[in-house]
Amino acid sequence: MSSDDPIAAFLVEASDVLDAVESALLDLNERLDDMAVINAVFRGLHTVKGSGAMFGFDALANFTHHCETAFDQVRKGQVPATGPLVSVILAACDHMRRLLHGEAKDDAGATLLAQLETEMAKATGAPKGETAPVPQPAGGGWHLRFRIAPDAMARGINPLALLAELAELGPCQVTALLDAIPPLPDLDPAHCHIGWDITLTGAVSREAIEDVFLFVLDDMELELTALEPADAAPQASADHGEPDPDPRTEQTRTAPVETVRVPADRLDAVMNRVGELVIAQSRLSQIASSNENIALRSVSEEIERLSGELRTTMMVLRMVPVAQLFGRFRRLVHDLAGETGKDINLEIEGEGTEVDKTVVERLFDPLVHLVRNSCDHGLEDAEARRAAGKSPTGTVRLAACQSGGQVVITITDDGRGIDIDRVRARAEANGLIEPGAPIPDHDLIQFIFHPGFSTATKVTSLSGRGVGMDVVKRTIEALRGTIEIASQPGHGSTISLRIPLTLAIIEGLLVRVGSGRYVLPLAAVEECLELSTADDTRSQGRSLITLRERLVPFVRLRDLFAVSEPADPFQKIVVVASGSSRVGLVVDQIIGSHQTVIKSMSPLQKGAAAFAGATILGDGTVALILDIGHLLAAAGGREDRLRAVG
């Protein structure tokens, strides 16, 4: 990884390390005796401390040093790991993040360190301020030689800080290697020409030494040789020549990792260019198809192939696993369990499912609302769960899977479920429905998305003000997605989100209604069939067809869009679906598939709810992209009403 700004690179890397430490702490909270996890936490804290000192973040390094020292006693078995101790270190990680960005309060760190000291004393049973002595490591050690990159100091790397970190691991004998210093006329004062030969004694792991060089390992020379206990005594070197070859010497320097951090706005800019290229290629294909020049057609086909491959590659670059999203909820549920006093177990499935990075970013806030509601409203307390014959520990499950061109995310809890009677009572009290009106349970549940609607009996710090679920629905719909709720009283609820894999380019089905052309997301299309004259005549006033022994409502798009031209003699029905809902869309002609570059609607046109955006066709004209969710809502309830009538 390279960066023009070493401080910016450090901030990104340090944030990643803190994320890893937090994840390890959450694992440790479930397995308090797992030494592998304990060592991972210690290494992470050690890395943050050392790299912070290297880049001048002294407040971060000093604060983390206290946390590392305390956790070192856990690592050495002098202090047992406890739930409260893990919670304090988690809070300390939050403070480290604030220190990274200069947002920490002056007294917050002292308060956390006092809490840490208290928990350490509780864990050991010693009076506050007294902890078990830390024995010095004995036996073994390492011989290491290293040289940092010549321009390392110009990038903010301080070799003295590296030496100081090594000295903290154990007694060191350090000798400077001066053999690479050039003659004075050729000396560049901005470059580092010195190397170091070090004998480090004590029981130090290879990982601990490599962690010291974590941020410079890719472009430095490092040799490590394990010492036997008999060889561990520090020995001064009289000369600076190369040591004799030793079969135990291992080159820990690895080839640079083939990854590059790219700012998100650069990816967005490239994606926009790819979109323009797809549009231009479509226009070229249309011109070539009407031209008899064989060479032009050949070039058009080759450009179509290359642009398609480029589009696919660009889409893959923007895809990230939902693990990046789901992993953040482990900490949220841990904190919610503490706030509510409930035992909550979070289960995660489908972490490898990939989705566009923009979608992931915009999904976080709605998922926070949903997970909070599941923990606060959905799950009962331990006493109520025992009375209902359930385990005292409630379970919230986050799952993701890919379905066609969509990713389906479900949030499931095994709590009390949605109280339909309470929802009805609140809807009647708010004047949303007439008292006693016959409304299916599915439609009643949808009222929880109404602004200001809440069934909570009291307002808490987590929920109860009726703010959140309406925001969730608007956010999901803005992503061209849908949200569905299924609930079983006494057994829990499941909320399903169906979101497009990408917001930039989709495969679409181009159709014509009158003289206008429209695009349907191909992922939502189930099948196409012809609307016969008999069905057309019979369906007047009912707008239903029977498809494999199931009634499917359909919408005449020419009526919805007030098309004045006469209908084609043989109209077509495109059946689209979202979740368990299906609707037929009557069009005049199905033109075919189309690579659709989605363009946002202007502010003046955003009120047209039937459309999710627009695209430019090969001939330069504009086609509107239909909003499947809105069309399903337009046909919603029609089948139920007709069943009730007939």
Side-chain angles (χ1 to χ4, degrees), residues 296-364:
L296 176 61
R297 291 188 178 184
S298 176
V299 171
S300 174
E301 291 174 358
E302 182 67 10
I303 292 178
E304 181 177 2
R305 180 185 67 81
L306 292 174
S307 65
E309 292 177 355
L310 179 60
R311 179 183 71 93
T312 301
T313 301
M314 192 61 216
M315 297 297 296
V316 171
L317 287 178
R318 290 169 57 97
M319 303 294 276
V320 296
V322 295
Q324 294 187 12
L325 177 65
F326 284 1
R328 299 160 72 179
F329 289 95
R330 299 182 62 202
R331 175 67 184 279
L332 176 65
V333 171
H334 173 272
D335 293 344
L336 288 175
E339 291 182 45
T340 60
K342 301 174 182 177
D343 292 330
I344 306 175
N345 176 43
L346 176 66
E347 296 181 356
I348 295 178
E349 298 176 2
E351 292 176 284
T353 304
E354 292 190 331
V355 68
D356 191 291
K357 69 171 185 64
T358 305
V359 175
V360 167
E361 293 164 1
R362 295 169 63 179
L363 273 178
F364 179 69

Side-chain angles (χ1 to χ4, degrees), residues 158-181:
N158 183 359
L160 297 181
L162 299 175
L163 295 173
E165 277 200 74
L166 289 172
E168 290 184 4
L169 298 180
C172 291
Q173 177 69 44
V174 182
T175 303
L177 302 177
L178 309 177
D179 54 298
I181 297 179

Side-chain angles (χ1 to χ4, degrees), residues 211-285:
D211 282 346
V212 171
F213 301 101
L214 179 66
F215 293 100
V216 293
L217 193 61
D218 286 346
D219 55 359
M220 70 172 294
E221 297 177 9
L222 174 63
E223 298 178 4
L224 275 177
T225 305
L227 298 179
E228 298 297 338
D231 303 328
Q235 298 177 358
S237 176
D239 61 80
H240 303 142
E242 295 296 325
D244 294 334
D246 190 324
R248 295 171 297 176
T249 299
E250 299 181 53
Q251 294 284 344
T252 63
R253 181 185 178 190
T254 58
V257 179
E258 297 298 327
T259 60
V260 178
R261 288 189 184 273
V262 179
D265 56 350
R266 294 187 185 178
L267 277 181
D268 293 338
V270 175
M271 192 68 207
N272 289 335
R273 300 298 181 273
V274 171
E276 298 297 333
L277 177 62
V278 169
I279 293 173
Q281 175 270 316
S282 179
R283 297 185 65 181
L284 176 61
S285 296

Side-chain angles (χ1 to χ4, degrees), residues 117-167:
E117 185 180 356
T118 299
E119 293 304 330
M120 293 287 289
K122 288 181 180 178
T124 59
K128 182 177 178 180
E130 297 182 14
T131 55
V134 180
Q136 295 297 321
W142 298 87
H143 175 259
L144 60 151
R145 297 168 63 91
F146 76 89
R147 294 180 184 273
I148 60 176
D151 63 342
M153 291 193 299
R155 292 187 280 116
I157 297 171
N158 183 359
L160 297 181
L162 299 175
L163 295 173
E165 277 200 74
L166 289 172

